[in-house]
Amino acid sequence: MIDSAFYESNLLIIEICVLFCLLVNLYNFFRYIFTRPRSFAHTRRVETLKRILSAPSNAAHLTWLLERNTYLQALLEALQQRGEEGVSEEARQLVGRSVNENLFRYSRRDDAVRALAVNIGSLSGLDSTEFRRFLTDCIHRQPVYLRVASLRACAALGSRQFLLEAFKELEGYPQHYGVKLLTDVLLLYRGDFRLLAGAILDEVPSYHPNLICALLSAMIRLGETAFSKRILSLMKDAETDGEIRIAAIKYFGALPYRPAQKQISEFLGHEEWEYAAMAARSLESYSCRSCGDQLLRCLSSRNWYVRYNSAATLASRRPDLVGEALNSSDRYARNIMQYAINVKEAATV
């Protein structure tokens, strides 16, 4: 009886599994049948638009096609497939004019269509009063992908004043614009980056701290050192936002500026561990002849990052103090110093 019940229960499980597999296959079959025509139609639209891009002539016809969402999506794919170098200036102007004429229609449609229009307008190099107004409106829309696309398009225009105005529009949505995102936007800017950076630094209180941190990050990526003195003033000012001061410490670690070393050393004793940890890390770019004792004291910090960054800087810049650290009465100081030495040796192998 036990064996019979056991086999019957297993048979039921097998039947359920077989039925499930049949239903899945049936679903995939019908999905293929119904979506295949759509896929073929989309491919035909993409090929049609590629031919128009190859021999641009009839602007009215393209404008008429782009009234439909399906052709708008197909155009974006066609532009991406051909790449920036594969599209002639005449074709880009044609696309730009056609998109510009349909902007009013796009503004009354959903956010996905707006995002398509923003991306295509940016790829075509469109720069008109209507398009700028459209971008400004899109920055205030709810979906993050639309706001990001609009901000990138603003940067691609290369207009310093327009981008600065767009940045000021972000004040109502600071949580949606992280430092990495804003750094990428700044790096996309096609105008004179130094003039843009100077304009932002002239009005630091007018912008969200995330933008200033992003600007410093972009400067690191570009190796921009023309504003070191002004950034040092920001770092010294106790009224400056904490995130900006920490970003400035990081900046001077990546792009050493000798007058900043003394101030960075003072941050080693800061009550907030983020300052001390970043300062200890940045000092690895300096000689550290005058801050060895401070780094040794940081080996006994309660925060692991402060201890490790200090140990790494000592191992790199003050090998003469490594022995003292290894003979310290503080077990945590000895351990972190040995760990930093091991990491350094492993990196050189």
Side-chain angles (χ1 to χ4, degrees), residues 166-186:
F167 283 143
K168 290 180 179 179
E169 295 289 339
L170 307 184
E171 283 300 312
Y173 315 90
Q175 69 276 15
H176 298 302
Y177 299 94
V179 174
K180 184 180 184 306
L181 168 62
L182 292 173
T183 301
D184 291 341
V185 169
L186 287 168

Side-chain angles (χ1 to χ4, degrees), residues 297-342:
R297 285 195 295 271
C298 286
L299 295 179
S300 300
S301 170
R302 292 182 178 181
N303 184 272
W304 186 89
Y305 293 100
V306 176
R307 294 200 305 273
Y308 174 72
N309 289 348
S310 300
T313 298
L314 284 171
S316 176
R317 289 296 184 179
R318 292 299 301 270
D320 56 307
L321 296 177
V322 169
E324 183 177 344
L326 292 174
N327 293 322
S328 172
S329 58
D330 186 342
R331 176 167 60 91
Y332 292 103
R334 295 196 304 271
N335 290 344
I336 201 67
M337 191 69 248
Q338 187 59 58
Y339 177 71
I341 293 172
N342 294 341

